[in-house]
Amino acid sequence: MSTKKPHTRLSVNINKIATLRNARGENRPSVEQVAVDCQRFGAEGITVHPRPDERHIRRADVMNLRPLVNMELNIEGYPSPEFMDLVLKVHPEQVTLVPDAPDALTSSAGWDVEPNKEFLSGIVDRLKSAGIRSSIFVGTDIANIKAAAATGTDRVELYTKPYADLYPTNPEMAVAPFVEASTAAHNLGLGVNAGHDLSLENLAFFHERLPWLHEVSIGHALICDALYLGLEQTIKQYKDILKN
């Protein structure tokens, strides 16, 4: 097991680009072109979260993105039969398993792994057989992370909204459970990803404190920043944080 702190990769979630496109029903902005540009500007991965109602990223988008994403394609979602059919057909580098209900506005919690361990283990086995890295979306509870490790998953993704909510008033208290969770996951042989409400305001402190962090997936805040800074400058600022 490596003891060297890993480089943290930036994966840009482009769901909000699809939301904007869908508002007019045409192809502007182009999800495909934004994915290409994000990579050109320095993003090391593209994340999409297709939902059953296709209110933002559509199944067709996922198929179209596969040949265009030459860094890493990360597909998030609840592992329904339809979702699994899609990811096994597209063969992304990573699949992040989230416990969202079909009508969820956004991911609002990680898995309670123990009661779902048999189900998740079967999903992880299918992904592993296909040569696809798996990541399970979890909170910071150590027992839950141990249960995730028992499924055979490659990584966990830490749900960071609790950190983002507390950071403005007590950053040390906000980050402490994530430091413990990151260490525990690493000691169990898991890679560590993180995502949800990370931003230019709170990412540097989070990145500095976590001893093990392989990837952050950032969408909403990054796209909001790009409205003011431009997409290229925004990605550069996020990447600069992750270099330090």
Side-chain angles (χ1 to χ4, degrees), residues 149-165:
T151 68
T153 189
D154 301 294
R155 295 186 181 184
V156 289
E157 178 172 328
L158 301 177
Y159 172 58
T160 49
K161 180 172 172 55
Y163 164 76
D165 288 346

Side-chain angles (χ1 to χ4, degrees), residues 44-119:
E44 295 152 301
I46 298 296
T47 292
V48 292
H49 188 149
R51 286 187 162 87
D53 62 5
E54 296 195 318
R55 63 180 180 271
H56 37 65
I57 289 292
R58 300 167 179 159
R59 293 172 65 88
D61 293 328
V62 180
M63 300 295 292
N64 292 339
L65 286 167
R66 175 64 285 185
L68 301 175
V69 177
N70 53 32
M71 302 295 288
E72 176 185 287
L73 180 61
N74 172 44
I75 304 179
E76 300 179 341
Y78 179 83
S80 65
E82 296 77 15
F83 178 85
M84 291 302 295
D85 287 346
L86 177 64
V87 299
L88 292 173
K89 184 180 295 184
V90 173
H91 207 276
E93 283 71 29
Q94 179 172 268
V95 168
T96 301
L97 306 173
V98 299
D100 286 357
D103 60 348
L105 181 63
T106 186
S107 302
S108 58
W111 285 94
D112 184 5
V113 179
E114 190 61 42
N116 295 286
K117 191 158 65 174
E118 184 176 352
F119 171 64

Side-chain angles (χ1 to χ4, degrees), residues 100-232:
D100 286 357
D103 60 348
L105 181 63
T106 186
S107 302
S108 58
W111 285 94
D112 184 5
V113 179
E114 190 61 42
N116 295 286
K117 191 158 65 174
E118 184 176 352
F119 171 64
L120 289 170
S121 296
I123 296 295
V124 167
D125 285 346
R126 292 181 68 190
L127 294 173
K128 195 179 296 288
S129 295
I132 300 170
R133 183 199 312 141
S134 59
S135 179
I136 295 178
F137 195 57
V138 295
T140 55
D141 180 77
I142 303 302
N144 204 40
I145 292 172
K146 289 180 179 178
T151 68
T153 189
D154 301 294
R155 295 186 181 184
V156 289
E157 178 172 328
L158 301 177
Y159 172 58
T160 49
K161 180 172 172 55
Y163 164 76
D165 288 346
L166 187 54
Y167 172 80
T169 56
N170 195 329
E172 291 290 354
M173 184 178 292
V175 83
F178 291 89
V179 173
E180 294 179 8
S182 168
T183 302
H186 175 76
N187 290 341
L188 289 163
L190 299 173
V192 180
N193 298 343
H196 206 96
D197 287 356
L198 295 174
S199 67
L200 289 176
E201 289 72 37
N202 61 39
L203 179 60
F205 187 82
F206 187 82
H207 178 248
E208 175 187 316
R209 292 300 196 278
L210 258 65
W212 308 104
L213 185 59
H214 291 85
E215 178 181 293
V216 291
S217 175
I218 304 177
H220 184 77
L222 189 149
I223 300 304
C224 289
D225 292 329
L227 292 175
Y228 293 92
L229 303 173
L231 186 59
E232 182 172 9

